[in-house]
Each structure stands twice: as C-alpha cells, then as structure tokens.
C-alpha cells in the first residue's frame, strides 16, 4: 500500500507537525514500508497463537515513589497554542446538537 | 409501595491513592496550587517520553485488593484507553482493561439482619485526568464557548473499585460507601476526601417489578460529591424510575447528572458517553506480575479492618451495635475512642456518650473532624473521672469540655481556673447547713414536722452561701440526716 502525499499532509496536520517538503517525501515512503510490513503480518495464519503484548521478556519495571522536579509553569505552557488564566485554552469540546 | 419493586445498584468508585509522586512520573501529587505547575514531559504526553509505574501505587492497590478479599492476578497489563477529550494531554488514559490487578472480592457491610456481603468485581489501577473549566454559556460543557485545562491532577494514581449489582437501595449504597471509606482510611492508602475529589462515586441503578427476572433499564448517575448525596441521588432516581414504570412511560439507558441544590438528576447528553475507547496494551509499560512473596508481605501488614473492629468493640467494650457503627465509621474516630477508653477506669459506655452527645456537637459547629480536635483522648477520660468523683457536676463538665475544645487545656486546669471544684467535704458543708438552719428556724421546723417540701429551699441557701460549689448530693444527704431522721 502506497501512502499518498495528501495522507501525509493530513496526518502531519493532525499531529501538529511542521514538516519540510523533503521530510514529507521521506515520511510517505517510510509509512508505506511500515504498512506493507503490517500487511504481511495480517496475511499470516495465527489461529491458536496467544496474543503477544510485549516483545521483551521483562516484567515489573517499577520506580520508587519519589518526587522529581516538574517543569516551571512558564515552560509547561510554552507549547500551548493558547493560554488563559495559567491554563491551556482549548476549543469548545462538544458541539451543540 | 416499595414491596412492588426491586432496586439494583452497582457502584464504581474512584480513589486517588496517597502517594508522593504521580503514577507514571515524578511530579508531586497535591491538591490545588498554581495551575500547570506540577507537570512534566511524561504527564504532558510529549512524544518520546516513557512512563514508569509507581511501586507504592501498586502496593496500595494490592492492599485494597487483599483487604477486600480479592484474588490477586499473577500477570496483568496496562492498557491505553483512547478518547478525544482535552483533559488528558496524551489523548489516552493509561488504565487496566481485561486483566486488572485484583478480581472477585467482597465487602461485608452492616445490615438490618446483621451483615451483608457485597461482591467486588474488580480493583484496577489507572491515572487521573486533568481538570477542565468550561467558559461561557451556563458553565456546563455543552453550552460553553471554550475550555481551560489544568493538568496538575493528570497522572495522579487512581484506583477504580467496581461492585457487583448486589446493592438494593440508596441507603445500602450509602452504607457501602461509608464502610469502604473507613476501610480505605484504615489501610492508609488514600485521604478519602469526597469534597476534594479523592473519593468519587458513580452509580448504576435500575428498578424492576418484584419477581421479574430481567434487570430494569440501567441508568448511570454521576456527580455525587458526598456520601449523603449518594443516598439522595439514588433515592431520587429510584422514585423517578418507579413512577415511570407505574405510568408505563419508557426509561432510557443514559447517564444522569445529580444536582446538589435541587436534589434531582437530569439527563446528560448521550453523545458524551457514546465512546469506543479502542483499548490496546500499553507498549511503553511491561506487564505487572506481583510475586507471591510481595503479596504475602502486604497481607501480613494489613491493619485491623472495620468489620473485625466492630466485632471487637461489641465484645471488648460491651457497646451497642448503633454506638459501634458511629464510632467505627471512621478509623480515626475509633482510635480516638479507644485511647480515651483505655485511660478511663469506669464504664466505656460513658466515654461513648460524651463523644457522641457532646463532642460531636462541638465538632459539628466548628466544622472539623475529630482527628483535628485539640482535646487529647486521655483528657476526656480525666474529665469524666472528675464527674464520677463528684469534683464537678455533669452540667459543669459540659462547660469544661467546651473550654477544653477551644483551648486544648487539660480539664483540671480549667476547673481550677474557673473555681468550679465542688466541695464534698462533709465537715465544711455541715457548718454552712447549721448556719442556714439557724437563720431559717420556721422552715426547719416545717421539715422536722414531716413536710420535706421546703428542703429544696434550704439546699438553695447552702448552695448560695458556698457560691454554688457544694456537692448538692452531699448537702441533701446531710440535711436529710439532720431534719428528717
Ligand atoms: Zn509529570
């Protein structure tokens, strides 16, 4: 499956990524390869195979309950498209019926 | 009326765990504070960051599961619950889906017949969301113009406890939440403040005609912010559904919002919960497999739990089930009572009466919990002992208690400062009695003649002479002995 340029543009917009022309071309090719790989896996007969959630044989990766420094408020809001009253301002969540 | 219908309630309870840091990052967990000041690249969902689970939160969840008699999963997973709502910056919440940490438990609650077992379906770990503020319109989401997000709470460790539909009334739901709250408090896993949202209750309720096999239409009730409002909301909903069945009008499966002021529930827009969460295993978190050794260690450190404590209070102190219910509704109240009762040589029932009848009144007026009270438990024992010894009267003791509550001073000091000590010394009292008799010979003669009526007048005279500090019982006894025998 080949990813069209319009799909790359759309996904980049959804992910709020500002990609250059060159990056868009490369992403199109890479995403196509990934989907092709997924298609090969889809085609396998996996009846009776237990679902695998993780590929590494590791369990219980836990951390101690210790406080680490957070970002300064200014830093945490720096990437927000809009700020009001020290909060992230977001568009209306639910449209009127 | 009620015999014609059966009510079925199941509860979903969210509990914020008492940890220092968040579930998957090191940001501090706290209530309130400057918005967006306790966030980091992990809980803000920046690309390329990795969550790591908080061991203490897992341990707290295991404590809850064990205290509720659950089976602990040998292997469980975290899942991503995807949804498009801006209160989670990642656009998903990490939760547990089809393999929760704890399964199949129960909580025994007091009932009219003694005790009733409410099944626990599951207990799982997840993370809390941020807080939204809807601006414009009437402040509710559907009419607002835009929203503001504070992510300080996003990522706070949260446990969801789901019950079986074993609860049969709003009242029983209230009892369950009270019991669960006391259990969580005893376990030390949460500060269980419903007013600050560290304990949140949602309910599923349906009503059917008695004898019907199929459950009625299930309605979800949200926004119950106190134990009392759980009872009120469910009583309202029970009545609304019964009336609909009576009238033959259709009930819709929906989510309803409880309004504290009106005491009524109203329909939330159905769109708000028509979600497909597209759960899938969280690739950034490896499976959780608590070892038998770890689970056994936690089991060993479980404190005495409210059902056991209730039984012990009845057998050890000879208290009534009602008093025990009041005292054990909160672990700190139960501990306070025990500290006072241990310092007291008399009948513990007296301590209970002082706590329930007097101290609770003072706490209510001040709007504080017993744990925040300035009176140390042994001081209440000292006060009651002074009443028993006749040092002060019961009425005076109430005044002293109020002063202890205000200042935190020991009762002996207050009694001394206020000059309240009663004189019970017979010799001292007798002198004043002789004086009173000598000053009122006519009255004394009437009493001697077999009319005890004016005795009260003489008691009053003695009390006045002694500035009210004589022990009235002793005054009465001596007057009787002198004039009537
Ligand atoms: Zn963080």
């Amino acid at each position: 499956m080949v990813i069209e340029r319009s799909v790359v543009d759309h996904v980049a917009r959804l992910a709020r990524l500002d990609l250059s022309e060159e990056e868009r071309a490369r992403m199109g090719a890479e995403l196509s390869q990934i989907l092709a790989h997924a298609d090969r896996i889809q085609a396998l007969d996996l009846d009776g195979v237990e679902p695998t959630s993780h590929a590494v044989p590791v369990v219980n990766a836990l951390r101690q309950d210790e406080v680490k420094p957070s970002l300064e408020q200014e830093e945490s809001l720096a990437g927000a498209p809009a700020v009001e009253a020290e909060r992230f301002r977001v568009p209306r969540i639910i449209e009127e019926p | 009326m009620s015999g014609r219908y059966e009510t079925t309630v199941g509860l979903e309870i969210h509990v914020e765990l008492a940890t220092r840091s968040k579930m998957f990052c090191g940001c501090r967990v706290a209530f309130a504070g400057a918005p967006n000041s306790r966030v980091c690249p992990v809980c803000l969902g920046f690309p390329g960051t990795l969550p790591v689970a908080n061991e203490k939160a897992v341990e707290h969840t295991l404590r809850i599961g064990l205290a509720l008699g659950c089976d602990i999963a040998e292997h469980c997973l975290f899942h991503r619950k995807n949804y498009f709502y801006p209160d989670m910056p990642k656009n998903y919440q990490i939760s547990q889906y089809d393999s929760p940490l704890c399964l199949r438990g129960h909580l025994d609650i007091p009932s009219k017949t003694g005790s009733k077992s409410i099944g626990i379906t599951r207990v799982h770990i997840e993370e809390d969301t941020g807080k939204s503020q809807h601006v414009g319109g009437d402040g509710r989401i559907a009419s607002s113009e835009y929203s503001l997000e504070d992510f300080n709470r996003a990522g706070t460790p949260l446990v969801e406890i789901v019950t079986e539909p074993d609860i049969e009334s709003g009242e029983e739901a209230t009892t369950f939440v009270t019991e669960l709250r006391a259990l969580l408090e005893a376990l030390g896993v949460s500060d269980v403040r419903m007013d600050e949202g560290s304990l949140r209750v949602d309910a599923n309720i349906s009503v059917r005609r008695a004898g019907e096999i199929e459950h009625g239409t299930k309605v979800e009730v949200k926004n119950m912010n106190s134990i009392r409002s759980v009872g009120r909301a469910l009583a309202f909903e029970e009545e609304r559904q019964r009336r609909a069945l009576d009238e033959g009008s259709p009930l819709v499966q929906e989510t309803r919002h409880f309004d504290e002021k009106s005491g009524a529930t109203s329909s939330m827009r159905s769109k708000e919960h028509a979600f497909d969460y597209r759960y899938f295993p969280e690739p950034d978190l490896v499976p959780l497999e608590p070892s038998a050794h770890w689970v056994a260690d936690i089991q060993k450190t479980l404190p005495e739990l409210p059902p056991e404590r209730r039984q012990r209070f009845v057998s050890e102190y000879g208290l009534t089930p009602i008093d025990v219910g009041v005292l054990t509704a909160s672990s700190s109240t139960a501990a306070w009572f025990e500290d006072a009762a241990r310092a007291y040589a008399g009948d513990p029932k007296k301590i209970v009466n002082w706590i329930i009848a007097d101290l609770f009144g003072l706490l209510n007026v001040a709007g504080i919990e017993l744990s925040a009270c300035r009176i140390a438990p042994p001081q209440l024992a000292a006060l009651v002992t002074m009443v028993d010894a006749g040092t002060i009267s019961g009425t005076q003791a109430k005044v002293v208690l109020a002063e202890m509550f205000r200042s935190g001073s020991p009762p002996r000091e207050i009694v001394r400062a206020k000059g309240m000590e009663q004189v019970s010394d017979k010799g001292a009292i007798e002198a004043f009695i002789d004086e009173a008799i000598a000053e009122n010979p006519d009255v004394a003669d009437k009493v001697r003649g077999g009319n005890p009526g004016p005795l009260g007048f003489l008691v009053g005279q003695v009390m006045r002479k002694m500035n009210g500090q004589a022990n009235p019982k002793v005054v009465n006894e001596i007057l009787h002995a002198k004039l009537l025998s």
Side-chain angles (χ1 to χ4, degrees), chain B residues 22 25-27 38-40 42-43:
Chain B
K22 289 188 180 179
C25 65
C27 289
R38 294 190 302 272
V39 291
C40 72
V42 175
C43 58

Side-chain angles (χ1 to χ4, degrees), chain B residues 66 291-302:
Chain B
L66 290 170
S291 69
H293 179 74
W294 191 18
V295 173
D297 271 357
I298 294 171
Q299 180 86 58
K300 266 184 246 155
T301 63
L302 290 186

Side-chain angles (χ1 to χ4, degrees), chain B residues 22 46 57 106 133 150 166 168 180 185 204 223 226 251 297 307 375 419 424 435 447 454 462 485:
Chain B
K22 289 188 180 179
F46 285 12
H106 62 94
Q133 210 174 300
D150 170 11
D166 291 343
E168 290 166 301
L180 181 67
E185 193 199 354
N204 285 307
N223 196 43
S226 66
L251 280 163
D297 271 357
I375 303 174
S424 303
E435 228 180 272
V447 179
V462 175
S485 55

Side-chain angles (χ1 to χ4, degrees), chain A residues 29-42:
Chain A
E30 287 180 1
L31 287 173
S32 299
Q33 278 174 25
I34 291 167
L35 283 189
H37 184 62
D39 283 342
R40 279 168 58 204
I41 294 171
Q42 289 282 34

